[in-house]
Every structure is written in structure tokens, then in C-alpha cells.
PDB file of all heavy atoms in Angstrom:
ATOM      1  N   ALA A  11     -33.898 -54.747 -19.777  1.00  0.00           N
ATOM      2  CA  ALA A  11     -33.621 -55.978 -20.516  1.00  0.00           C
ATOM      3  C   ALA A  11     -33.254 -55.724 -21.966  1.00  0.00           C
ATOM      4  O   ALA A  11     -32.828 -56.649 -22.667  1.00  0.00           O
ATOM      5  CB  ALA A  11     -34.835 -56.904 -20.446  1.00  0.00           C
ATOM      6  N   LYS A  12     -33.443 -54.477 -22.429  1.00  0.00           N
ATOM      7  CA  LYS A  12     -33.165 -54.143 -23.826  1.00  0.00           C
ATOM      8  C   LYS A  12     -32.358 -52.850 -23.884  1.00  0.00           C
ATOM      9  O   LYS A  12     -32.210 -52.142 -22.878  1.00  0.00           O
ATOM     10  CB  LYS A  12     -34.468 -53.939 -24.610  1.00  0.00           C
ATOM     11  CG  LYS A  12     -35.452 -55.078 -24.546  1.00  0.00           C
ATOM     12  CD  LYS A  12     -36.745 -54.676 -25.248  1.00  0.00           C
ATOM     13  CE  LYS A  12     -37.828 -55.716 -25.094  1.00  0.00           C
ATOM     14  NZ  LYS A  12     -39.091 -55.275 -25.737  1.00  0.00           N
ATOM     15  N   THR A  13     -31.871 -52.547 -25.082  1.00  0.00           N
ATOM     16  CA  THR A  13     -31.273 -51.236 -25.306  1.00  0.00           C
ATOM     17  C   THR A  13     -32.301 -50.161 -24.991  1.00  0.00           C
ATOM     18  O   THR A  13     -33.473 -50.284 -25.346  1.00  0.00           O
ATOM     19  CB  THR A  13     -30.814 -51.106 -26.770  1.00  0.00           C
ATOM     20  OG1 THR A  13     -29.831 -52.106 -27.027  1.00  0.00           O
ATOM     21  CG2 THR A  13     -30.210 -49.738 -27.043  1.00  0.00           C
ATOM     22  N   TYR A  14     -31.866 -49.080 -24.300  1.00  0.00           N
ATOM     23  CA  TYR A  14     -32.815 -48.053 -23.873  1.00  0.00           C
ATOM     24  C   TYR A  14     -32.154 -46.681 -23.936  1.00  0.00           C
ATOM     25  O   TYR A  14     -30.926 -46.557 -23.913  1.00  0.00           O
ATOM     26  CB  TYR A  14     -33.287 -48.332 -22.447  1.00  0.00           C
ATOM     27  CG  TYR A  14     -32.209 -48.210 -21.391  1.00  0.00           C
ATOM     28  CD1 TYR A  14     -32.068 -47.067 -20.607  1.00  0.00           C
ATOM     29  CD2 TYR A  14     -31.307 -49.262 -21.164  1.00  0.00           C
ATOM     30  CE1 TYR A  14     -31.072 -46.960 -19.636  1.00  0.00           C
ATOM     31  CE2 TYR A  14     -30.319 -49.167 -20.198  1.00  0.00           C
ATOM     32  CZ  TYR A  14     -30.195 -48.024 -19.435  1.00  0.00           C
ATOM     33  OH  TYR A  14     -29.215 -47.923 -18.473  1.00  0.00           O
ATOM     34  N   SER A  15     -32.965 -45.644 -24.014  1.00  0.00           N
ATOM     35  CA  SER A  15     -32.443 -44.273 -23.975  1.00  0.00           C
ATOM     36  C   SER A  15     -33.335 -43.357 -23.144  1.00  0.00           C
ATOM     37  O   SER A  15     -33.144 -42.150 -23.140  1.00  0.00           O
ATOM     38  CB  SER A  15     -32.276 -43.717 -25.400  1.00  0.00           C
ATOM     39  OG  SER A  15     -33.458 -43.880 -26.153  1.00  0.00           O
ATOM     40  N   SER A  16     -34.315 -43.922 -22.444  1.00  0.00           N
ATOM     41  CA  SER A  16     -35.115 -43.147 -21.486  1.00  0.00           C
ATOM     42  C   SER A  16     -35.601 -44.071 -20.387  1.00  0.00           C
ATOM     43  O   SER A  16     -35.819 -45.264 -20.613  1.00  0.00           O
ATOM     44  CB  SER A  16     -36.309 -42.465 -22.170  1.00  0.00           C
ATOM     45  OG  SER A  16     -37.278 -43.421 -22.561  1.00  0.00           O
ATOM     46  N   VAL A  17     -35.750 -43.499 -19.200  1.00  0.00           N
ATOM     47  CA  VAL A  17     -36.288 -44.239 -18.063  1.00  0.00           C
ATOM     48  C   VAL A  17     -37.223 -43.315 -17.286  1.00  0.00           C
ATOM     49  O   VAL A  17     -36.844 -42.192 -16.934  1.00  0.00           O
ATOM     50  CB  VAL A  17     -35.182 -44.759 -17.118  1.00  0.00           C
ATOM     51  CG1 VAL A  17     -35.800 -45.446 -15.903  1.00  0.00           C
ATOM     52  CG2 VAL A  17     -34.246 -45.720 -17.841  1.00  0.00           C
ATOM     53  N   LEU A  18     -38.442 -43.793 -17.025  1.00  0.00           N
ATOM     54  CA  LEU A  18     -39.365 -43.111 -16.123  1.00  0.00           C
ATOM     55  C   LEU A  18     -39.330 -43.844 -14.794  1.00  0.00           C
ATOM     56  O   LEU A  18     -39.545 -45.060 -14.734  1.00  0.00           O
ATOM     57  CB  LEU A  18     -40.785 -43.114 -16.690  1.00  0.00           C
ATOM     58  CG  LEU A  18     -41.879 -42.578 -15.748  1.00  0.00           C
ATOM     59  CD1 LEU A  18     -41.671 -41.097 -15.462  1.00  0.00           C
ATOM     60  CD2 LEU A  18     -43.266 -42.823 -16.337  1.00  0.00           C
ATOM     61  N   TYR A  19     -39.057 -43.108 -13.725  1.00  0.00           N
ATOM     62  CA  TYR A  19     -38.991 -43.705 -12.388  1.00  0.00           C
ATOM     63  C   TYR A  19     -39.882 -42.928 -11.431  1.00  0.00           C
ATOM     64  O   TYR A  19     -39.887 -41.695 -11.421  1.00  0.00           O
ATOM     65  CB  TYR A  19     -37.556 -43.686 -11.861  1.00  0.00           C
ATOM     66  CG  TYR A  19     -37.436 -44.013 -10.388  1.00  0.00           C
ATOM     67  CD1 TYR A  19     -37.712 -45.287  -9.920  1.00  0.00           C
ATOM     68  CD2 TYR A  19     -37.067 -43.033  -9.465  1.00  0.00           C
ATOM     69  CE1 TYR A  19     -37.613 -45.594  -8.571  1.00  0.00           C
ATOM     70  CE2 TYR A  19     -36.958 -43.323  -8.102  1.00  0.00           C
ATOM     71  CZ  TYR A  19     -37.233 -44.609  -7.663  1.00  0.00           C
ATOM     72  OH  TYR A  19     -37.143 -44.903  -6.324  1.00  0.00           O
ATOM     73  N   SER A  20     -40.639 -43.661 -10.630  1.00  0.00           N
ATOM     74  CA  SER A  20     -41.453 -43.038  -9.591  1.00  0.00           C
ATOM     75  C   SER A  20     -41.578 -43.985  -8.414  1.00  0.00           C
ATOM     76  O   SER A  20     -41.759 -45.196  -8.587  1.00  0.00           O
ATOM     77  CB  SER A  20     -42.845 -42.691 -10.116  1.00  0.00           C
ATOM     78  OG  SER A  20     -43.645 -42.135  -9.079  1.00  0.00           O
ATOM     79  N   SER A  21     -41.454 -43.421  -7.223  1.00  0.00           N
ATOM     80  CA  SER A  21     -41.739 -44.160  -6.001  1.00  0.00           C
ATOM     81  C   SER A  21     -41.964 -43.152  -4.890  1.00  0.00           C
ATOM     82  O   SER A  21     -41.682 -41.958  -5.043  1.00  0.00           O
ATOM     83  CB  SER A  21     -40.598 -45.112  -5.633  1.00  0.00           C
ATOM     84  OG  SER A  21     -39.552 -44.429  -4.976  1.00  0.00           O
ATOM     85  N   SER A  22     -42.415 -43.631  -3.761  1.00  0.00           N
ATOM     86  CA  SER A  22     -42.644 -42.749  -2.622  1.00  0.00           C
ATOM     87  C   SER A  22     -41.328 -42.244  -2.030  1.00  0.00           C
ATOM     88  O   SER A  22     -41.340 -41.335  -1.188  1.00  0.00           O
ATOM     89  CB  SER A  22     -43.451 -43.487  -1.552  1.00  0.00           C
ATOM     90  OG  SER A  22     -42.771 -44.659  -1.124  1.00  0.00           O
ATOM     91  N   ASP A  23     -40.184 -42.820  -2.478  1.00  0.00           N
ATOM     92  CA  ASP A  23     -38.876 -42.389  -1.957  1.00  0.00           C
ATOM     93  C   ASP A  23     -38.428 -41.053  -2.532  1.00  0.00           C
ATOM     94  O   ASP A  23     -37.542 -40.399  -1.962  1.00  0.00           O
ATOM     95  CB  ASP A  23     -37.814 -43.444  -2.263  1.00  0.00           C
ATOM     96  CG  ASP A  23     -38.055 -44.739  -1.502  1.00  0.00           C
ATOM     97  OD1 ASP A  23     -38.696 -44.683  -0.437  1.00  0.00           O
ATOM     98  OD2 ASP A  23     -37.616 -45.799  -1.975  1.00  0.00           O
ATOM     99  N   LEU A  24     -38.974 -40.649  -3.681  1.00  0.00           N
ATOM    100  CA  LEU A  24     -38.604 -39.351  -4.258  1.00  0.00           C
ATOM    101  C   LEU A  24     -39.254 -38.232  -3.442  1.00  0.00           C
ATOM    102  O   LEU A  24     -40.490 -38.128  -3.394  1.00  0.00           O
ATOM    103  CB  LEU A  24     -39.065 -39.261  -5.717  1.00  0.00           C
ATOM    104  CG  LEU A  24     -38.175 -39.901  -6.782  1.00  0.00           C
ATOM    105  CD1 LEU A  24     -38.847 -39.815  -8.150  1.00  0.00           C
ATOM    106  CD2 LEU A  24     -36.814 -39.226  -6.825  1.00  0.00           C
ATOM    107  N   THR A  25     -38.415 -37.408  -2.828  1.00  0.00           N
ATOM    108  CA  THR A  25     -38.911 -36.396  -1.888  1.00  0.00           C
ATOM    109  C   THR A  25     -38.757 -34.993  -2.460  1.00  0.00           C
ATOM    110  O   THR A  25     -37.697 -34.632  -2.988  1.00  0.00           O
ATOM    111  CB  THR A  25     -38.133 -36.489  -0.563  1.00  0.00           C
ATOM    112  OG1 THR A  25     -38.224 -37.829  -0.058  1.00  0.00           O
ATOM    113  CG2 THR A  25     -38.697 -35.518   0.467  1.00  0.00           C
ATOM    114  N   LYS A  26     -39.791 -34.215  -2.330  1.00  0.00           N
ATOM    115  CA  LYS A  26     -39.763 -32.837  -2.816  1.00  0.00           C
ATOM    116  C   LYS A  26     -38.684 -32.031  -2.084  1.00  0.00           C
ATOM    117  O   LYS A  26     -38.514 -32.128  -0.872  1.00  0.00           O
ATOM    118  CB  LYS A  26     -41.128 -32.185  -2.624  1.00  0.00           C
ATOM    119  CG  LYS A  26     -41.250 -30.803  -3.253  1.00  0.00           C
ATOM    120  CD  LYS A  26     -42.666 -30.268  -3.132  1.00  0.00           C
ATOM    121  CE  LYS A  26     -42.793 -28.898  -3.788  1.00  0.00           C
ATOM    122  NZ  LYS A  26     -44.169 -28.355  -3.686  1.00  0.00           N
ATOM    123  N   GLY A  27     -37.946 -31.232  -2.848  1.00  0.00           N
ATOM    124  CA  GLY A  27     -36.896 -30.393  -2.294  1.00  0.00           C
ATOM    125  C   GLY A  27     -35.553 -31.065  -2.176  1.00  0.00           C
ATOM    126  O   GLY A  27     -34.567 -30.419  -1.794  1.00  0.00           O
ATOM    127  N   THR A  28     -35.466 -32.338  -2.500  1.00  0.00           N
ATOM    128  CA  THR A  28     -34.212 -33.090  -2.393  1.00  0.00           C
ATOM    129  C   THR A  28     -33.535 -33.170  -3.746  1.00  0.00           C
ATOM    130  O   THR A  28     -34.193 -33.305  -4.782  1.00  0.00           O
ATOM    131  CB  THR A  28     -34.478 -34.503  -1.854  1.00  0.00           C
ATOM    132  OG1 THR A  28     -35.126 -34.404  -0.585  1.00  0.00           O
ATOM    133  CG2 THR A  28     -33.187 -35.294  -1.709  1.00  0.00           C
ATOM    134  N   THR A  29     -32.218 -33.108  -3.738  1.00  0.00           N
ATOM    135  CA  THR A  29     -31.427 -33.235  -4.961  1.00  0.00           C
ATOM    136  C   THR A  29     -30.936 -34.668  -5.103  1.00  0.00           C
ATOM    137  O   THR A  29     -30.455 -35.278  -4.133  1.00  0.00           O
ATOM    138  CB  THR A  29     -30.227 -32.275  -4.949  1.00  0.00           C
ATOM    139  OG1 THR A  29     -30.716 -30.927  -4.868  1.00  0.00           O
ATOM    140  CG2 THR A  29     -29.385 -32.427  -6.205  1.00  0.00           C
ATOM    141  N   TYR A  30     -31.068 -35.203  -6.303  1.00  0.00           N
ATOM    142  CA  TYR A  30     -30.653 -36.572  -6.598  1.00  0.00           C
ATOM    143  C   TYR A  30     -29.688 -36.584  -7.772  1.00  0.00           C
ATOM    144  O   TYR A  30     -29.649 -35.647  -8.583  1.00  0.00           O
ATOM    145  CB  TYR A  30     -31.878 -37.442  -6.913  1.00  0.00           C
ATOM    146  CG  TYR A  30     -32.847 -37.542  -5.756  1.00  0.00           C
ATOM    147  CD1 TYR A  30     -33.982 -36.738  -5.702  1.00  0.00           C
ATOM    148  CD2 TYR A  30     -32.631 -38.447  -4.735  1.00  0.00           C
ATOM    149  CE1 TYR A  30     -34.880 -36.832  -4.639  1.00  0.00           C
ATOM    150  CE2 TYR A  30     -33.525 -38.549  -3.664  1.00  0.00           C
ATOM    151  CZ  TYR A  30     -34.636 -37.734  -3.628  1.00  0.00           C
ATOM    152  OH  TYR A  30     -35.511 -37.829  -2.581  1.00  0.00           O
ATOM    153  N   TYR A  31     -28.962 -37.689  -7.892  1.00  0.00           N
ATOM    154  CA  TYR A  31     -27.923 -37.818  -8.902  1.00  0.00           C
ATOM    155  C   TYR A  31     -28.182 -39.085  -9.725  1.00  0.00           C
ATOM    156  O   TYR A  31     -28.475 -40.150  -9.167  1.00  0.00           O
ATOM    157  CB  TYR A  31     -26.542 -37.862  -8.247  1.00  0.00           C
ATOM    158  CG  TYR A  31     -26.260 -36.619  -7.437  1.00  0.00           C
ATOM    159  CD1 TYR A  31     -26.702 -36.517  -6.111  1.00  0.00           C
ATOM    160  CD2 TYR A  31     -25.609 -35.536  -8.007  1.00  0.00           C
ATOM    161  CE1 TYR A  31     -26.485 -35.367  -5.369  1.00  0.00           C
ATOM    162  CE2 TYR A  31     -25.385 -34.372  -7.273  1.00  0.00           C
ATOM    163  CZ  TYR A  31     -25.831 -34.292  -5.959  1.00  0.00           C
ATOM    164  OH  TYR A  31     -25.622 -33.145  -5.235  1.00  0.00           O
ATOM    165  N   ILE A  32     -28.050 -38.923 -11.029  1.00  0.00           N
ATOM    166  CA  ILE A  32     -28.311 -40.027 -11.963  1.00  0.00           C
ATOM    167  C   ILE A  32     -26.980 -40.579 -12.444  1.00  0.00           C
ATOM    168  O   ILE A  32     -26.118 -39.837 -12.933  1.00  0.00           O
ATOM    169  CB  ILE A  32     -29.147 -39.546 -13.162  1.00  0.00           C
ATOM    170  CG1 ILE A  32     -30.478 -38.953 -12.681  1.00  0.00           C
ATOM    171  CG2 ILE A  32     -29.394 -40.687 -14.142  1.00  0.00           C
ATOM    172  CD1 ILE A  32     -31.220 -38.181 -13.762  1.00  0.00           C
ATOM    173  N   TYR A  33     -26.827 -41.913 -12.327  1.00  0.00           N
ATOM    174  CA  TYR A  33     -25.607 -42.578 -12.772  1.00  0.00           C
ATOM    175  C   TYR A  33     -25.951 -43.625 -13.824  1.00  0.00           C
ATOM    176  O   TYR A  33     -27.038 -44.211 -13.828  1.00  0.00           O
ATOM    177  CB  TYR A  33     -24.893 -43.240 -11.595  1.00  0.00           C
ATOM    178  CG  TYR A  33     -24.210 -42.266 -10.672  1.00  0.00           C
ATOM    179  CD1 TYR A  33     -24.927 -41.625  -9.659  1.00  0.00           C
ATOM    180  CD2 TYR A  33     -22.856 -41.987 -10.814  1.00  0.00           C
ATOM    181  CE1 TYR A  33     -24.320 -40.722  -8.807  1.00  0.00           C
ATOM    182  CE2 TYR A  33     -22.225 -41.076  -9.958  1.00  0.00           C
ATOM    183  CZ  TYR A  33     -22.964 -40.456  -8.962  1.00  0.00           C
ATOM    184  OH  TYR A  33     -22.348 -39.557  -8.125  1.00  0.00           O
ATOM    185  N   SER A  34     -24.974 -43.857 -14.673  1.00  0.00           N
ATOM    186  CA  SER A  34     -25.109 -44.856 -15.735  1.00  0.00           C
ATOM    187  C   SER A  34     -23.897 -45.769 -15.699  1.00  0.00           C
ATOM    188  O   SER A  34     -22.767 -45.323 -15.473  1.00  0.00           O
ATOM    189  CB  SER A  34     -25.213 -44.169 -17.094  1.00  0.00           C
ATOM    190  OG  SER A  34     -25.320 -45.105 -18.126  1.00  0.00           O
ATOM    191  N   GLY A  35     -24.141 -47.064 -15.941  1.00  0.00           N
ATOM    192  CA  GLY A  35     -23.051 -48.024 -15.912  1.00  0.00           C
ATOM    193  C   GLY A  35     -22.744 -48.472 -14.499  1.00  0.00           C
ATOM    194  O   GLY A  35     -23.604 -48.467 -13.620  1.00  0.00           O
ATOM    195  N   GLY A  36     -21.485 -48.825 -14.235  1.00  0.00           N
ATOM    196  CA  GLY A  36     -21.091 -49.281 -12.916  1.00  0.00           C
ATOM    197  C   GLY A  36     -21.476 -50.729 -12.676  1.00  0.00           C
ATOM    198  O   GLY A  36     -21.786 -51.494 -13.603  1.00  0.00           O
ATOM    199  N   SER A  37     -21.459 -51.108 -11.396  1.00  0.00           N
ATOM    200  CA  SER A  37     -21.745 -52.498 -11.037  1.00  0.00           C
ATOM    201  C   SER A  37     -22.502 -52.543  -9.714  1.00  0.00           C
ATOM    202  O   SER A  37     -22.588 -51.548  -8.996  1.00  0.00           O
ATOM    203  CB  SER A  37     -20.451 -53.302 -10.928  1.00  0.00           C
ATOM    204  OG  SER A  37     -19.615 -52.752  -9.912  1.00  0.00           O
ATOM    205  N   TYR A  38     -23.016 -53.723  -9.405  1.00  0.00           N
ATOM    206  CA  TYR A  38     -23.781 -53.914  -8.176  1.00  0.00           C
ATOM    207  C   TYR A  38     -23.275 -55.174  -7.490  1.00  0.00           C
ATOM    208  O   TYR A  38     -23.134 -56.230  -8.117  1.00  0.00           O
ATOM    209  CB  TYR A  38     -25.274 -54.051  -8.499  1.00  0.00           C
ATOM    210  CG  TYR A  38     -26.191 -53.775  -7.334  1.00  0.00           C
ATOM    211  CD1 TYR A  38     -26.653 -52.494  -7.091  1.00  0.00           C
ATOM    212  CD2 TYR A  38     -26.598 -54.793  -6.472  1.00  0.00           C
ATOM    213  CE1 TYR A  38     -27.499 -52.222  -6.028  1.00  0.00           C
ATOM    214  CE2 TYR A  38     -27.449 -54.534  -5.408  1.00  0.00           C
ATOM    215  CZ  TYR A  38     -27.890 -53.239  -5.187  1.00  0.00           C
ATOM    216  OH  TYR A  38     -28.730 -52.969  -4.135  1.00  0.00           O
ATOM    217  N   SER A  39     -23.004 -55.079  -6.209  1.00  0.00           N
ATOM    218  CA  SER A  39     -22.492 -56.231  -5.466  1.00  0.00           C
ATOM    219  C   SER A  39     -23.389 -56.526  -4.279  1.00  0.00           C
ATOM    220  O   SER A  39     -23.963 -55.617  -3.658  1.00  0.00           O
ATOM    221  CB  SER A  39     -21.061 -55.970  -4.973  1.00  0.00           C
ATOM    222  OG  SER A  39     -21.014 -54.824  -4.127  1.00  0.00           O
ATOM    223  N   GLY A  40     -23.500 -57.815  -3.957  1.00  0.00           N
ATOM    224  CA  GLY A  40     -24.367 -58.214  -2.858  1.00  0.00           C
ATOM    225  C   GLY A  40     -25.826 -58.074  -3.228  1.00  0.00           C
ATOM    226  O   GLY A  40     -26.188 -57.701  -4.343  1.00  0.00           O
ATOM    227  N   GLY A  41     -26.689 -58.360  -2.290  1.00  0.00           N
ATOM    228  CA  GLY A  41     -28.119 -58.178  -2.524  1.00  0.00           C
ATOM    229  C   GLY A  41     -28.680 -59.177  -3.521  1.00  0.00           C
ATOM    230  O   GLY A  41     -28.151 -60.272  -3.739  1.00  0.00           O
ATOM    231  N   SER A  42     -29.766 -58.783  -4.163  1.00  0.00           N
ATOM    232  CA  SER A  42     -30.448 -59.670  -5.104  1.00  0.00           C
ATOM    233  C   SER A  42     -30.984 -58.871  -6.280  1.00  0.00           C
ATOM    234  O   SER A  42     -31.081 -57.638  -6.227  1.00  0.00           O
ATOM    235  CB  SER A  42     -31.593 -60.405  -4.406  1.00  0.00           C
ATOM    236  OG  SER A  42     -32.560 -59.493  -3.915  1.00  0.00           O
ATOM    237  N   GLU A  43     -31.341 -59.591  -7.336  1.00  0.00           N
ATOM    238  CA  GLU A  43     -31.872 -58.956  -8.546  1.00  0.00           C
ATOM    239  C   GLU A  43     -33.120 -59.706  -8.996  1.00  0.00           C
ATOM    240  O   GLU A  43     -33.127 -60.942  -9.054  1.00  0.00           O
ATOM    241  CB  GLU A  43     -30.822 -58.971  -9.649  1.00  0.00           C
ATOM    242  CG  GLU A  43     -31.292 -58.397 -10.984  1.00  0.00           C
ATOM    243  CD  GLU A  43     -31.886 -59.465 -11.915  1.00  0.00           C
ATOM    244  OE1 GLU A  43     -31.489 -60.642 -11.781  1.00  0.00           O
ATOM    245  OE2 GLU A  43     -32.751 -59.125 -12.751  1.00  0.00           O
ATOM    246  N   THR A  44     -34.181 -58.973  -9.276  1.00  0.00           N
ATOM    247  CA  THR A  44     -35.414 -59.546  -9.814  1.00  0.00           C
ATOM    248  C   THR A  44     -35.890 -58.695 -10.971  1.00  0.00           C
ATOM    249  O   THR A  44     -36.165 -57.496 -10.802  1.00  0.00           O
ATOM    250  CB  THR A  44     -36.520 -59.602  -8.733  1.00  0.00           C
ATOM    251  OG1 THR A  44     -36.079 -60.387  -7.629  1.00  0.00           O
ATOM    252  CG2 THR A  44     -37.793 -60.218  -9.312  1.00  0.00           C
ATOM    253  N   ASP A  45     -35.912 -59.284 -12.151  1.00  0.00           N
ATOM    254  CA  ASP A  45     -36.392 -58.587 -13.347  1.00  0.00           C
ATOM    255  C   ASP A  45     -35.651 -57.277 -13.593  1.00  0.00           C
ATOM    256  O   ASP A  45     -36.234 -56.267 -14.011  1.00  0.00           O
ATOM    257  CB  ASP A  45     -37.896 -58.327 -13.256  1.00  0.00           C
ATOM    258  CG  ASP A  45     -38.697 -59.614 -13.185  1.00  0.00           C
ATOM    259  OD1 ASP A  45     -38.268 -60.602 -13.808  1.00  0.00           O
ATOM    260  OD2 ASP A  45     -39.734 -59.645 -12.500  1.00  0.00           O
ATOM    261  N   GLY A  46     -34.355 -57.290 -13.294  1.00  0.00           N
ATOM    262  CA  GLY A  46     -33.528 -56.114 -13.536  1.00  0.00           C
ATOM    263  C   GLY A  46     -33.480 -55.126 -12.395  1.00  0.00           C
ATOM    264  O   GLY A  46     -32.702 -54.166 -12.439  1.00  0.00           O
ATOM    265  N   LEU A  47     -34.293 -55.323 -11.363  1.00  0.00           N
ATOM    266  CA  LEU A  47     -34.314 -54.422 -10.208  1.00  0.00           C
ATOM    267  C   LEU A  47     -33.442 -54.998  -9.095  1.00  0.00           C
ATOM    268  O   LEU A  47     -33.686 -56.104  -8.597  1.00  0.00           O
ATOM    269  CB  LEU A  47     -35.746 -54.234  -9.724  1.00  0.00           C
ATOM    270  CG  LEU A  47     -35.949 -53.284  -8.540  1.00  0.00           C
ATOM    271  CD1 LEU A  47     -35.482 -51.868  -8.897  1.00  0.00           C
ATOM    272  CD2 LEU A  47     -37.424 -53.267  -8.131  1.00  0.00           C
ATOM    273  N   TYR A  48     -32.415 -54.235  -8.689  1.00  0.00           N
ATOM    274  CA  TYR A  48     -31.462 -54.679  -7.676  1.00  0.00           C
ATOM    275  C   TYR A  48     -31.843 -54.119  -6.309  1.00  0.00           C
ATOM    276  O   TYR A  48     -32.201 -52.940  -6.182  1.00  0.00           O
ATOM    277  CB  TYR A  48     -30.052 -54.211  -8.028  1.00  0.00           C
ATOM    278  CG  TYR A  48     -29.438 -54.924  -9.216  1.00  0.00           C
ATOM    279  CD1 TYR A  48     -29.736 -54.521 -10.518  1.00  0.00           C
ATOM    280  CD2 TYR A  48     -28.563 -55.990  -9.033  1.00  0.00           C
ATOM    281  CE1 TYR A  48     -29.175 -55.168 -11.611  1.00  0.00           C
ATOM    282  CE2 TYR A  48     -27.986 -56.641 -10.122  1.00  0.00           C
ATOM    283  CZ  TYR A  48     -28.300 -56.230 -11.401  1.00  0.00           C
ATOM    284  OH  TYR A  48     -27.739 -56.878 -12.477  1.00  0.00           O
ATOM    285  N   THR A  49     -31.735 -54.958  -5.291  1.00  0.00           N
ATOM    286  CA  THR A  49     -32.035 -54.518  -3.925  1.00  0.00           C
ATOM    287  C   THR A  49     -31.078 -55.202  -2.944  1.00  0.00           C
ATOM    288  O   THR A  49     -30.572 -56.292  -3.202  1.00  0.00           O
ATOM    289  CB  THR A  49     -33.484 -54.863  -3.522  1.00  0.00           C
ATOM    290  OG1 THR A  49     -33.692 -56.272  -3.676  1.00  0.00           O
ATOM    291  CG2 THR A  49     -34.485 -54.110  -4.367  1.00  0.00           C
ATOM    292  N   GLY A  50     -30.849 -54.510  -1.827  1.00  0.00           N
ATOM    293  CA  GLY A  50     -30.131 -55.119  -0.716  1.00  0.00           C
ATOM    294  C   GLY A  50     -28.622 -55.128  -0.820  1.00  0.00           C
ATOM    295  O   GLY A  50     -27.943 -55.672   0.062  1.00  0.00           O
ATOM    296  N   GLY A  51     -28.043 -54.546  -1.885  1.00  0.00           N
ATOM    297  CA  GLY A  51     -26.606 -54.551  -2.057  1.00  0.00           C
ATOM    298  C   GLY A  51     -26.049 -53.152  -2.226  1.00  0.00           C
ATOM    299  O   GLY A  51     -26.638 -52.168  -1.764  1.00  0.00           O
ATOM    300  N   THR A  52     -24.919 -53.065  -2.932  1.00  0.00           N
ATOM    301  CA  THR A  52     -24.223 -51.792  -3.075  1.00  0.00           C
ATOM    302  C   THR A  52     -23.930 -51.498  -4.536  1.00  0.00           C
ATOM    303  O   THR A  52     -23.394 -52.349  -5.258  1.00  0.00           O
ATOM    304  CB  THR A  52     -22.896 -51.799  -2.300  1.00  0.00           C
ATOM    305  OG1 THR A  52     -23.166 -52.079  -0.920  1.00  0.00           O
ATOM    306  CG2 THR A  52     -22.194 -50.458  -2.411  1.00  0.00           C
TER     307      THR A  52
END
């Protein structure tokens, strides 16, 4: 909701030994948004 320069993220979806990619910007289509968290879309 504000200007930011760091994000801490944790969930059970982060799996040991897996490589992930961090993206900034872009857009989100479909799904829903609650308090800045997008789900169910692309």
C-alpha cells in the first residue's frame, strides 16, 4: 500500500531445493484482490 524497497515473504509453498524467480511490476488479470494480495488470476 506504500512505497517499499524490501519484502519478507513466507508460506508453506516455499520448498527447499526449488529455484524461484522474483518479478517487479507487471499486471494481474482475473481473480481477486484483498489488502494487496492477489489470488485466483494470472
Side-chain angles (χ1 to χ4, degrees):
K12 306 174 186 178
T13 299
Y14 66 99
S15 51
S16 70
V17 176
L18 173 65
Y19 168 68
S20 178
S21 81
S22 59
D23 293 335
L24 278 175
T25 305
K26 187 175 181 180
T28 302
T29 299
Y30 298 98
Y31 301 85
I32 302 167
Y33 287 84
S34 179
S37 61
Y38 200 90
S39 59
S42 61
E43 177 269 333
T44 301
D45 298 326
L47 182 61
Y48 289 83
T49 56
T52 302

